[in-house]
């Protein structure tokens, strides 16, 4: 008898008192549709030795490369939340803070990926893409990026 009672109680506990998890509450994490770029500041020289400018479909954001002590930095250009699954044009320009010379210039098409930070049936739905700013190769995949030197 104990076993027969235990199994249904365990099922209710694991589903949060909902009928097999259908009414699972959503978390409330905020997120924006965006294209971002990440980099290791040490790759671009000393503290704030470069300025990175990221443009997506004509909208741009810019910031200094950061301190060599930081493991990584990032910069993002926000997109409309309803941008949807499409390819957007991304342009990266890295300039020397000292001379103003262009160190890296690259562009690529970014295929936006659908993301559900609070679960598949919960809002928001956002569209994102991420690149790595590489000092020799420009815009590359961030996959496998080491965050320490």
């Amino acid at each position: 008898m104990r076993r027969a009672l235990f199994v249904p109680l365990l099922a209710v506990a694991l589903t949060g008192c909902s009928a097999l998890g259908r009414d699972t509450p959503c978390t409330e994490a905020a997120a924006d549709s965006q294209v971002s770029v990440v980099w290791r500041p040490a790759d671009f020289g000393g503290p704030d030795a470069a300025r990175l400018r990221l443009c997506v479909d004509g909208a741009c954001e810019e910031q200094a490369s950061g301190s060599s002590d930081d493991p990584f930095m990032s910069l993002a250009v926000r997109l409309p939340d309803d941008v949807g699954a499409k390819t957007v044009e991304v342009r990266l320009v890295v300039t020397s803070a000292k001379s103003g010379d262009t160190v890296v210039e690259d562009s690529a098409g970014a295929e936006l990926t659908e993301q559900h930070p609070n679960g598949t049936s919960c809002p928001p739905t956002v569209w994102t893409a991420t690149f790595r700013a590489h000092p020799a190769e420009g815009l590359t995949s961030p996959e496998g990026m080491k965050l320490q030197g």
Side-chain angles (χ1 to χ4, degrees):
M1 179 65 178
R2 281 188 171 160
R3 177 179 253 166
L5 183 58
F6 178 74
V7 172
L9 287 176
L10 180 61
V12 168
L14 292 175
T15 60
C17 298
S18 65
L20 299 176
R22 285 185 292 205
D23 295 325
T24 303
C26 295
T27 58
E28 295 184 17
D32 293 321
S33 293
Q34 65 184 15
V35 173
S36 58
V37 64
V38 295
W39 68 91
R40 290 180 47 217
D43 288 345
F44 292 100
D48 295 331
R51 293 212 49 87
L52 286 86
R53 181 175 177 85
L54 179 67
C55 298
V56 181
D57 283 351
C60 301
E61 295 291 336
E62 186 174 327
Q63 81 178 49
S65 58
S67 168
S68 299
D69 296 334
D70 293 330
F72 75 98
M73 296 285 292
S74 66
L75 177 63
V77 174
R78 191 169 189 276
L79 303 172
D81 287 332
D82 62 351
V83 67
K86 69 180 207 175
T87 301
V88 294
E89 186 63 28
V90 178
R91 183 160 190 242
L92 172 71
V93 177
V94 181
T95 56
S96 166
K98 189 180 239 181
S99 68
D101 293 340
T102 299
V103 178
V104 176
E105 187 169 4
D106 197 11
S107 61
E111 289 184 33
L112 300 177
T113 303
E114 185 175 5
Q115 304 289 322
H116 301 274
N118 296 313
T120 55
S121 62
C122 300
T125 297
V126 297
W127 301 88
T128 65
T130 303
F131 291 93
R132 174 185 180 187
H134 190 279
E137 299 171 25
L139 292 167
T140 65
S141 170
E143 190 172 321
M145 182 176 166
K146 293 171 122 181
L147 298 180
Q148 296 182 358

